[in-house]
Amino acid sequence: MANGQDAIIPKYKTTQILVSSNEYEKDNYLAFPAILRLNPDEVLVSFKRGTQHGGGKEARLDMMHFDTKNNVIIERKNLASDPGLILQMGEWVEFPNGSIKLYIDSQHSGHDNDNYRTGLRQVSVRKTKDGFEASKTELAPMVDGREYGYAFDFIVKDKITYMLVMGFGYRPGGKWSVDVIQSKNNGKSWTLVRNLTEEFGGHKINESAFIPWEDGFMVTTREYGQNQRIYFTDAEFKVIKENNLSSSYGFIESHIGRPRLFSRDGNLYLLGRNWRTMEGEGRRMELGLFKINPKSLAVEKWFILDNSERAHITDGYYAVPYFQEKEGKTYFNLINYKGANKTFPSIERYEFFWDEIK
């Protein structure tokens, strides 16, 4: 079992600044990347352009078409904007019929200037001879009179698309929960599969992730507060086994910010923002990766992928992973946002040898 002293720091790492906040005179707070793999050598990337982490007047989303083999940007353009709305974070999905949508956490300022959701929005993206084109944004369909607000993750399996999504009590439907919903018609309509907040014991959770596993699913949840949990469920998202990682391991002090789950060669990994306190240095933010035993749900080993030097990172580490094969080697890549010492964050790419991590 991993302990608090055995963090692994990969020896090989390269960093590429994809979009610098210094490129812009305004709307230069760049954050929250999300990716969609198009083929073995290309991805689409969305990211926020605004003035601050949360809120900011009329923040928008931009898009990159990125060549992952040669590490060059093919195209960059505005993806979505809405007068009067804050477009906070998008999440991509390619439906079984090949159509592509981005689902957007949309907000306006309300409730004594706290961020206030306005309903989950969607934008369709298609490739043309001149590049990628995006439709205007529109509200995503309601589910049995329920309006959702923040999409976390998608799974496409057996022509069914599952969305992991959060609903907010002040929106139509009047209920706070993280749910799994599904579509069998490429996003035209959705139905409820399971209220995970109830299934997982009523914990107040928000940012979550899931992947298919054996005959069921692996799900990880970030609780408001101190707890990061991981669950193995059956095909109907009923709990079979769970582990509270924060109470089990000293190197996960609270929760993992914007967690991501992925698998490779039969192994399970959890990625995201981790906070750790060290004597004489205080509490610091770092990008953590945790290899999890899928049978016991225990952490087998863990890695510090960024900020092992314990710098003052002011915001960052909502990272998204992808793999790239080049010249017979497998590279593990992350697209991340990061700002240090109160500078506005930029969009960055990190590359590692997968053999050092697996």
Side-chain angles (χ1 to χ4, degrees):
M1 180 182 293
N3 59 57
Q5 305 302 318
D6 62 353
I8 300 169
I9 301 171
K11 294 179 181 178
Y12 171 83
K13 176 185 176 184
T14 63
T15 300
Q16 177 186 12
I17 305 299
L18 295 177
V19 188
S20 171
S21 60
N22 294 329
E23 292 185 26
Y24 304 102
E25 293 184 0
K26 62 179 183 178
D27 296 332
N28 57 344
Y29 199 104
L30 312 181
F32 316 144
I35 66 172
L36 176 69
R37 175 60 89 174
L38 297 171
N39 58 52
D41 294 324
E42 297 173 80
V43 296
L44 287 181
V45 184
S46 66
F47 59 95
K48 176 183 176 177
R49 274 191 61 193
T51 59
Q52 59 196 64
H53 177 105
K57 185 179 179 181
E58 295 185 356
R60 66 191 233 182
L61 295 182
D62 276 10
M63 176 177 68
M64 282 187 289
H65 179 196
F66 186 64
D67 178 336
T68 57
K69 183 177 181 180
N70 299 299
N71 296 316
V72 295
I73 297 171
I74 299 170
E75 180 186 22
R76 206 172 92 193
K77 64 195 304 181
N78 176 242
L79 174 60
S81 58
D82 273 302
L85 295 184
I86 301 161
L87 302 187
Q88 186 75 357
M89 182 168 185
E91 194 67 25
W92 295 99
V93 62
E94 182 176 0
F95 287 103
N97 68 352
S99 62
I100 295 171
K101 278 188 169 65
L102 187 81
Y103 287 80
I104 306 169
D105 174 18
S106 305
Q107 306 175 8
H108 64 73
S109 186
H111 289 280
D112 298 324
N113 294 319
D114 288 336
N115 298 336
Y116 183 79
R117 263 73 183 189
T118 63
L120 184 67
R121 303 187 77 81
Q122 62 186 28
V123 59
S124 297
V125 176
R126 65 184 183 94
K127 189 174 184 179
T128 71
K129 61 182 179 64
D130 298 318
F132 281 89
E133 290 185 353
S135 68
K136 293 183 178 180
T137 68
E138 60 181 358
L139 281 171
M142 287 189 178
V143 182
D144 297 327
R146 180 100 184 272
E147 182 187 74
Y148 288 96
Y150 187 1
F152 300 137
D153 212 349
F154 288 90
I155 292 172
V156 179
K157 183 180 179 183
D158 300 329
K159 295 187 178 181
I160 299 175
T161 303
Y162 297 92
M163 184 195 302
L164 184 60
V165 62
M166 186 173 183
F168 298 81
Y170 49 75
R171 299 305 302 171
K175 195 172 187 179
W176 295 84
S177 66
V178 173
D179 295 353
V180 177
I181 59 177
Q182 69 177 15
S183 176
K184 297 181 179 180
N185 56 11
N186 303 296
K188 292 180 181 178
S189 62
W190 299 83
T191 58
L192 178 67
V193 179
R194 180 82 48 202
N195 180 324
L196 294 187
T197 298
E198 292 179 353
E199 176 65 22
F200 293 167
H203 307 296
K204 294 182 178 180
I205 56 177
N206 65 355
E207 293 170 347
S208 306
F210 64 174
I211 60 171
W213 199 269
E214 296 179 346
D215 295 328
F217 300 90
M218 290 288 184
V219 186
T220 188
T221 62
R222 167 199 161 175
E223 186 178 337
Y224 284 101
Q226 301 303 311
N227 296 301
Q228 185 72 34
R229 293 179 174 87
I230 188 161
Y231 302 85
F232 177 50
T233 79
D234 66 13
E236 302 298 322
F237 290 94
K238 294 182 179 180
V239 174
I240 296 173
K241 189 178 182 65
E242 68 177 270
N243 188 16
N244 186 328
L245 300 176
S246 301
S247 62
S248 298
Y249 303 103
F251 50 81
I252 302 178
E253 292 182 2
S254 57
H255 58 258
I256 302 298
R258 198 57 169 97
R260 300 282 182 176
L261 287 176
F262 66 94
S263 64
R264 181 81 175 188
D265 302 324
N267 295 312
L268 176 66
Y269 299 87
L270 168 64
L271 170 73
R273 175 199 286 171
N274 190 29
W275 290 90
R276 287 192 307 123
T277 303
M278 293 184 67
E279 187 175 352
E281 296 182 355
R283 198 163 184 252
R284 297 285 190 275
M285 184 192 304
E286 60 194 21
L287 181 56
L289 177 69
F290 308 88
K291 184 178 181 180
I292 296 174
N293 184 302
K295 298 298 183 185
S296 66
L297 302 184
V299 176
E300 293 185 336
K301 56 183 178 179
W302 66 290
F303 304 81
I304 300 174
L305 300 182
D306 196 68
N307 201 28
S308 60
E309 68 276 19
R310 307 283 292 172
H312 286 277
I313 305 301
T314 48
D315 195 10
Y317 300 140
Y318 286 21
V320 284
Y322 67 89
F323 290 90
Q324 184 64 39
E325 305 293 332
K326 290 188 294 185
E327 300 176 351
K329 291 185 178 180
T330 300
Y331 292 86
F332 178 56
N333 284 257
L334 300 171
I335 295 181
N336 177 49
Y337 83 105
K338 185 177 78 171
N341 298 317
K342 298 184 180 181
T343 60
F344 276 10
S346 298
I347 305 299
E348 304 181 347
R349 181 186 67 87
Y350 309 144
E351 182 178 82
F352 307 88
F353 286 136
W354 182 240
D355 282 347
E356 287 194 41
I357 294 172
K358 65 179 184 180

